[in-house]
Amino acid sequence: LNPVALIAKKRDGGWLTPDEIRAFVSGLLSGEVADYQMSAWLMAAFLNGLDERETLALTDAMLESGKVLDLPSVTKPKVDKHSTGGVGDKISICLAPAAAAAGLAVPMVSGRGLGHTGGTLDKLESIPGYRTDLDVRTFEQIVATVGVSMIGQTSELAPADKRIYALRDVTGTVECIPLIVASILSKKLAEGIDGLVLDVKAGRGAFMKDVRSAKRLAKALVAVGKRAKKRVRAVITDMSSPIGTTIGNALEVREALAVLRGKGPSDTVELTVELGAEMLAAGGLEKSVVEGRKRIRKVLADGTALDVFRKMVEAHGGDPRVVDDDDVLPSAESEVVVESKARGHVRAIDAERLGILSVEMGAGRARAEDAVDPAVGIEIVATLGNRVAVGEPLAKLHVRERTSAEAWISETRSAFSVGRARFTATSRIIERLG
Amino acid sequence: LNPVALIAKKRDGGWLTPDEIRAFVSGLLSGEVADYQMSAWLMAAFLNGLDERETLALTDAMLESGKVLDLPSVTKPKVDKHSTGGVGDKISICLAPAAAAAGLAVPMVSGRGLGHTGGTLDKLESIPGYRTDLDVRTFEQIVATVGVSMIGQTSELAPADKRIYALRDVTGTVECIPLIVASILSKKLAEGIDGLVLDVKAGRGAFMKDVRSAKRLAKALVAVGKRAKKRVRAVITDMSSPIGTTIGNALEVREALAVLRGKGPSDTVELTVELGAEMLAAGGLEKSVVEGRKRIRKVLADGTALDVFRKMVEAHGGDPRVVDDDDVLPSAESEVVVESKARGHVRAIDAERLGILSVEMGAGRARAEDAVDPAVGIEIVATLGNRVAVGEPLAKLHVRERTSAEAWISETRSAFSVGRARFTATSRIIERLG
């Protein structure tokens, strides 16, 4: 292993062989490749690119750096969903139990929130007692018995991804499609899945600000996922306004529970149904998305998805009464109403701005080591297309102390665009690939 | 200081301000910038380039990371020479005392040999007792009294360059003109010089294999040196065949002493005279190179250069008898003659091949921590243009043990091209800039 030669090869625009990539990645874990060598290589990869073969090899190398689940006792198709991150994105919490109720096995490993985007783990942990740090063995057992388990990243799965991601984060090499693809896929494929649905978000609240770059990422994910012999589908969805009506951990669990009870905001339901239908198609349980939609709508309507959720919460040590009683969830001391100063129709709600605000309020974290307040957050009262009069509520802020809310009120108000003309919210689904 | 933002700026093709570069470099020394961040930035700089302003700022930042000599007691113009490294390049050893004898002050900090190129320090250390590790204070005193001192790199001067060079060496970011320029100039400007002559070598035995890239490096050195308000001149010289007739530490000191005694091989003398004349011009002591040449030839012919060398050796703790008696220098146990198997004229001597061979023989080092044998090396008997018959000597190998020499003999022979047609060696000077 000659790390300098492999760095120089990528630097000079060459393409590394799968063996070279494997040696370089395992060298990082063994200490033969130093952090400063990996970061030089990452920058060369950022600037000169990785082709699909290299991206697959990097995915495989990171995947093979840890355990790969095989779930031998699970006979159902194993399918997971991954979202590139958004504001108010609680979809996993209603989607995973619904997909399990519809016949899939869903071994879902999720991340924490960072920056303006929230994380499924933080949301789940707002359920009293819910443990996200189960070991891989227990995780497998819950998937086998309940059909779904949702845990946090563990050092047992794809540890090389964790090391490399930590380096990318501090060396300006995050925003690189092949590196993003390898990072996402290595973690997801370590779950031992047969199929994967990718929710690639586009818009102001997303990592990819425009549809074009979201599409590039989605294409690369599907292409490399297929090279890895998995059934991979991607859906590009609009992330310019927050999803549903809540931003903040316990608030979002409440909304997800509403969906699981057959209610919930129309866009949250739409995303759950559409991504669920894609998961069923990826798992081979339904040939058409049309049939898949029906199946997901059914498990939401008849309570079977909610029942799966209850069992999952129980298996994770959480309080199962949460499915019937929202008051089991923490709630903030105070609610502050944000009133409209204009009259008209809500034409836009800036997801990024509200995402950043929610972090300031304590619902998210600016740095990985920050703690999160499960109770605080933003509740959207006037959703896209709603008509508001002056003085009518746009949103409610769930806060610890009323006194701190002054600046937040005007910031929330500025995130809402209210115009004279009528406005009708459209579907969040922009495009499907795979 | 936000290291990631500065890395991203260079990654995206932006140009850093001098303040940003200064903060980044001093951050490396203070620990605010990690090695892996510097190496990512270096790779971005390698691939996206640094402009002259950035290169100057990097030079300044590395320069300012340590002491900068001012030599207040020295009234003579302070001029140094730097060579980009070659095979058999002992020029500094005869040039520096000659330049001092001609009226300049020469504060010369040199490096060790690495890879196929030798280093002035190793050569000087073959003089019994000669110390290259003097502190900066003593160095200054010797320059003030003798007119010249030659020491090794010290952590007092440009320590940031040392840190960054060590990183470049292991991250594939060595061969980058702006980084080379900043590294060379920061070390040299730390000597407190008024002028600098750069011997930029081109050809098989050099770092820059072709004249075009040597010229690019020379131009960049002159441009950034002038921006630093120094009188900088560059000479591109041919490094396809070894300089003079010796490769190896004590052997090369012998050859340099011959030059200081008014003798020596014509190309070694030529380089000494030409670079000396450039130094006198850079120091403002001579307006024309023609006058400078005369002055250097005079100090070589009349023994004043040799006398300066004697004083310098003495001041460095070395045995001054070396100037009169070559036997003070170590010599190898055995000499092995390499005979020609062809008859004709020597048309080429492969400097790189002999450089690599000399390392194998123990005269140089493959890794920085290797020790060097001062006595061993290669003596060229048939120089460029010489006529040889079959069985006549091409070279003599100075070795520890005859038995180990078999492979070296044929390797040496293959480095010589002997052809039928007459061949006349030409000047090593290819071009002058500045």
Side-chain angles (χ1 to χ4, degrees), chain B residues 171-186:
Chain B
T171 58
T173 48
V174 169
E175 304 90 343
C176 169
I177 285 182
L179 297 179
I180 295 169
V181 166
S183 176
I184 292 174
L185 290 183
S186 65

Side-chain angles (χ1 to χ4, degrees), chain A residues 56-320:
Chain A
L56 175 63
L58 182 58
T59 305
D60 282 343
M62 300 201 295
L63 174 69
E64 288 159 15
S65 71
K67 241 179 150 159
V68 180
L69 305 189
D70 57 355
L71 302 162
S73 58
V74 176
T75 51
K76 296 172 183 171
K78 289 160 278 179
V79 179
D80 193 9
K81 180 223 60 161
H82 177 81
S83 156
T84 59
V87 177
D89 187 0
K90 70 283 292 177
I91 302 302
S92 290
I93 298 170
C94 30
L95 172 62
L104 295 171
V106 185
M108 189 181 275
V109 178
S110 298
R112 298 202 175 273
L114 188 61
H116 72 278
T117 61
T120 298
L121 276 200
D122 296 321
K123 296 167 196 177
L124 286 171
E125 286 178 353
S126 71
I127 301 170
Y130 191 100
R131 287 187 55 191
T132 55
D133 61 346
L134 304 183
D135 61 29
V136 159
R137 181 81 5 231
T138 314
F139 176 62
E140 287 181 319
Q141 281 164 359
I142 299 174
V143 174
T145 53
V146 180
V148 55
S149 177
M150 300 170 84
I151 59 166
Q153 263 187 271
T154 144
S155 55
E156 293 178 83
L157 303 183
D161 170 67
K162 200 173 180 179
R163 276 286 296 281
I164 292 173
Y165 189 83
L167 270 177
R168 286 171 55 207
D169 195 35
V170 292
T171 57
T173 48
V174 169
E175 304 90 345
C176 169
I177 285 182
L179 296 179
I180 294 170
V181 167
S183 176
I184 291 175
L185 291 183
S186 65
K187 275 183 298 217
K188 289 287 150 185
L189 300 190
E191 299 166 348
I193 49 176
D194 307 306
L196 178 63
V197 173
L198 295 149
D199 181 2
V200 181
K201 306 235 166 260
R204 282 190 56 77
F207 183 69
M208 295 292 175
K209 301 296 177 201
D210 59 280
V211 175
R212 228 176 94 249
S213 49
K215 200 166 163 179
R216 279 216 319 275
L217 174 57
K219 273 187 173 171
L221 281 163
V222 169
V224 177
K226 286 193 170 164
R227 277 179 179 254
K229 311 253 184 299
K230 303 294 172 185
R231 301 178 73 156
V232 178
R233 305 171 72 102
V235 184
I236 298 170
T237 65
D238 176 41
M239 192 58 253
S240 42
S241 63
I243 297 170
T245 54
T246 55
I247 306 167
N249 301 294
L251 290 173
E252 293 192 43
V253 173
R254 280 188 176 82
E255 183 179 327
L257 278 165
V259 175
L260 287 168
R261 290 178 198 128
K263 295 170 202 153
S266 58
D267 59 340
T268 312
V269 173
E270 182 200 24
L271 286 169
T272 307
V273 169
E274 296 300 328
L275 293 168
E278 294 287 345
M279 285 175 77
L280 291 173
L285 287 191
E286 293 289 1
K287 288 239 168 80
S288 85
V289 173
V290 178
E291 290 304 308
R293 280 183 197 124
K294 283 188 194 157
R295 197 143 155 183
I296 298 293
R297 282 206 195 95
K298 186 170 174 293
V299 297
L300 294 176
D302 67 11
T304 52
L306 186 67
D307 194 50
V308 168
F309 184 72
R310 182 202 322 266
K311 285 179 184 146
M312 179 183 77
V313 169
E314 217 161 9
H316 279 257
D319 188 338

